[in-house]
Each structure stands twice: as C-alpha cells, then as structure tokens.
Amino acid sequence: MLECKSCGGDLDLTMSACPSCGAAVELGRLTGILGIVCRACDAYNEPGARACASCGAAVGEPPEVTPRPIPIAAAEPQPPGPALTPAALTPRPASPSPTGPPPAPGQPVLRAFQRGATTPTRVVPLVPSQPPPGAAIPPAPARPPHPPPADAPPPRAAPAAGPLIPGRATLVLERGEGLDGASFQLNREVVGAGRTQGAVIFPDDPCLAPLHATFFYRGGALHLRDEGAPGGTYLRLRGPSVPLRHGDLFAVGDRLLRFAGSLPTPGPGPPDGTRRLGAPRPPAPTVVIEELLEGGVTGRVFVRGGGSVTIGRSGCAVNLGDDPFLSQAHAELVVDSAGGARLKDLGSSNGTFIRVPPHAERELHDGDWLRLGREVLRVAVA
C-alpha cells in the first residue's frame, strides 16, 4: 500500500486520486500507459478500458472523493435586527419617495430596508433586462442634439483633391538603365526627358533620343507629348482592351511587336489556272504579327488564324521564348470576322504597352506606367 503525500491516507496503484483529500496520485498516471488492474478480480486490462474484460466490473473510473470539511472561524456576533417578513417584500404600490420617482402602475418594485427600520427607505423600479417573447421593443427616446456654442466656428467641408500643379507629380523609375527606384519630381510647368536634354535624363540609354518626350501641366492635369523619337513612347494598358490599327506597335516584356493587319487575300493566278505552291492558308480570320529587332530590323513573322491569338513565353499561339519580363501567357489579340483586332493584357506582371502616335499627347494619371527607350517609369501624384 502507498500513502498519500497530502493527507497520509491509504492508496493503491490503481488509484489516480486520493479518496480522502482528492490529491492526484502520480503513480496512477502509469495506468494510462501500462494498463489498468481491476479492483474486483485483479485482472489486467488494456489502457483506456472502461470495463474489466474478466469480470465486467467498471475500471478506470476515479473514486468518489468526499472532501474534508475545512473549519471556519466563528463570525463575530451581530446585534439582532427586525426580521424581514415575506409580506414586506411583496410588490405593492408605493407612496412617492423623495429618493426616487414613483413606479409605473403594475411595475414591480424592490424595497430596500435599513437596519432597525420597519418601512422601506427607497423605492427602485425593476426594469426587465429582456422583453417578454413576442413583445415589441419600444424605440429609445431620441435625444435632442446639443446646440453648438454661439462663438463656435462653422464646420469645414472635407478638402477636395485640387488640380495638379507643378511639384505634385513625380516619375519613379521601375527598371531601366538608371538606378531602380530613383524619382524625378516634375516641379516645373514643362519638363523634358531624353538622353541629353531636359530635367529627366538617362545618358546611358542608346534607345533614347536627345529629347524623347515632354511632360507638362495643362488644365489641372499632367500630360505627355511624344517628340517623334524613332524608338517611340509607350503607355501601359489600363482598360480591358484597346483597338489595334494596321502598323500599331506594342511591347510585351522586352519584345517589340507590330500589328500588320489581316492576311491579304491571294492574287489572281496564272492565266492557265495553275495554283501557286505554298503552305496551307490558316482558317479565317487571320492576322499577321511581326517582331521588330533592335535597330528596326524585322525578325520573325507570325501568321495566326482564329478569334483569339495569345502571346507569351510558351504555350501560346505566339511564343516569344525566354524573357525575364514576359509572362507565360502575357497578352491576347481578339480578332473579329472582318480582320480587326483588339489588344488585351492577360494580367501579366510587367504589363503590356502600346505606342503613342508620334507627336501625339496623352493625359496621365496617378499609377500610369510609361516606357521611354529602355526606361520604365511610373507616375506618382502626391
């Protein structure tokens, strides 16, 4: 037999708690690992068993513990006071009291008594915390608004976004030949950008003209003007799609493409009716997309038919190969039956850019991206 460390009572290994004081028996925890011995027949049972496999008696249940009474010091005797009879607490109409307003008819009240008094000294109405089931909840009485002080200034309206003025717009370099993250504050009415002229200069970019583009404020907005540079100025698509015309240029990743329109119809054959040899023509509608190499040389030519022509790194109708700034499925040309097309970005990481016509102007907004030569810039408005 074991002895309880708390009260000295007798224990055995099957007990998990002392039957006298309820203290936990450390060795009793082993029964959950080694097994349980039946108290009735001493048969071994698996850990976690609730009934003895031999005699069916309950095992593993903690014994009923009767806690020992704790002696309580006798309280100091108090002088007797008048007994409160049930009649004194019975709800009944109360007379007006100077300590509180009279209750509504039929409303229960709680009467507070002072020691030695025979009548209640205060009447407190009892307000139910919840209405009876199905009862409508009365609306709370509206409180009149506090009038503002006579000398208080009139309330001011929320400030509205004012027109763009010099200094509010900034160009942030996202990537290019300069230092990524560099910013150029457009703090004058007119700011030029290029390789050698203007306040926004990238002298190491050979694809920039001396003066490539101009930024200027007009009518409370920021505008961009292309200066006719051979490399062109490009804006990132922000809407769902834009229409393409024959000869339009657009950039995906570091690849420059030209939309050459729909595939021309075959000309008349020889007078004797002999058909010229060639590869089979793709199904209509069919469009032609040309790849432009650096220096203006035409590279690959893609002839694709169908209503959708996807462009990307791989797995598309037009696969442009390895390009760190090109998504796997980057852009799409949606072709109609007449051979027209719309350019759509497919949620690419680096965006799809379309060229601004030479010497044309475009209004810029906060978050617009543009490309000048190899420089990719973002417009940020304070």
Side-chain angles (χ1 to χ4, degrees):
M1 297 294 291
L2 300 176
E3 185 177 291
C4 178
K5 296 181 180 180
S6 300
C7 66
D10 294 335
L11 305 173
D12 60 57
L13 290 176
T14 63
M15 294 180 180
S16 60
C18 177
S20 299
C21 65
V25 180
E26 296 296 332
L27 292 178
R29 299 178 183 175
L30 295 176
T31 60
I33 302 174
L34 303 179
I36 304 175
V37 177
C38 177
R39 300 174 184 173
C41 65
D42 291 335
Y44 170 79
N45 293 272
E46 295 292 334
R50 295 298 181 184
C52 179
S54 178
C55 65
V59 296
E61 296 294 335
E64 295 184 1
V65 178
T66 303
R68 294 182 176 179
I70 302 175
I72 303 176
E76 182 181 353
Q78 299 291 336
L84 299 181
T85 62
L89 297 178
T90 304
R92 64 176 180 269
S95 59
S97 171
T99 59
Q107 185 179 19
V109 297
L110 174 65
R111 301 177 182 277
F113 289 80
Q114 290 181 349
R115 184 175 300 278
T118 58
T119 58
T121 59
R122 187 179 182 186
V123 178
V124 182
L126 295 179
V127 181
S129 59
Q130 294 182 353
I137 301 176
R143 295 183 178 181
H146 295 285
D151 56 350
R156 295 184 300 174
L164 281 184
I165 57 175
R168 287 193 60 191
T170 304
L171 297 178
V172 180
L173 180 64
E174 294 294 338
R175 67 180 179 93
E177 298 299 316
L179 180 62
D180 293 354
S183 61
F184 305 86
Q185 190 172 16
L186 305 179
N187 52 8
R188 289 183 289 179
E189 290 284 349
V190 180
V191 178
R195 192 173 72 249
T196 58
Q197 301 179 26
V200 182
I201 299 177
F202 300 95
D204 298 329
D205 190 344
C207 297
L208 284 177
L211 179 62
H212 201 97
T214 301
F215 300 89
F216 61 95
Y217 295 89
R218 184 177 63 196
L222 178 66
H223 292 76
L224 165 73
R225 179 174 62 246
D226 178 83
E227 297 296 347
T233 303
Y234 297 81
L235 280 179
R236 183 174 181 173
L237 300 186
R238 296 196 72 171
S241 63
V242 294
L244 288 179
R245 298 173 300 176
H246 186 281
D248 280 348
L249 300 178
F250 59 97
V252 290
D254 275 342
R255 308 303 176 99
L256 184 60
L257 303 175
R258 177 169 58 198
F259 177 64
S262 58
L263 184 68
T265 57
D272 59 1
T274 303
R275 179 175 296 181
R276 289 189 173 91
L277 182 64
R281 291 178 63 91
T286 305
V287 293
V288 180
I289 303 171
E290 299 173 345
E291 181 183 27
L292 297 184
L293 306 180
E294 193 170 281
V297 180
T298 302
R300 292 171 290 180
V301 178
F302 304 92
V303 180
R304 297 292 184 266
S308 172
V309 180
T310 54
I311 304 171
R313 192 171 60 247
S314 63
C316 299
V318 176
N319 297 317
L320 299 176
D322 190 21
D323 184 335
F325 303 104
L326 189 66
S327 298
Q328 184 169 351
H330 197 106
E332 178 188 19
L333 265 66
V334 182
V335 186
D336 57 31
S337 57
R342 298 186 68 88
L343 178 62
K344 176 182 178 181
D345 184 81
L346 296 180
S348 62
S349 301
N350 295 285
T352 301
F353 295 76
I354 188 167
R355 183 177 181 177
V356 177
H359 304 287
E361 297 178 357
R362 293 290 184 269
E363 183 177 343
L364 299 178
H365 304 87
D366 182 43
D368 277 343
W369 290 49
L370 57 145
R371 182 166 182 170
L372 310 175
R374 296 175 180 173
E375 318 305 316
V376 178
L377 301 161
R378 174 174 54 86
V379 177
V381 176

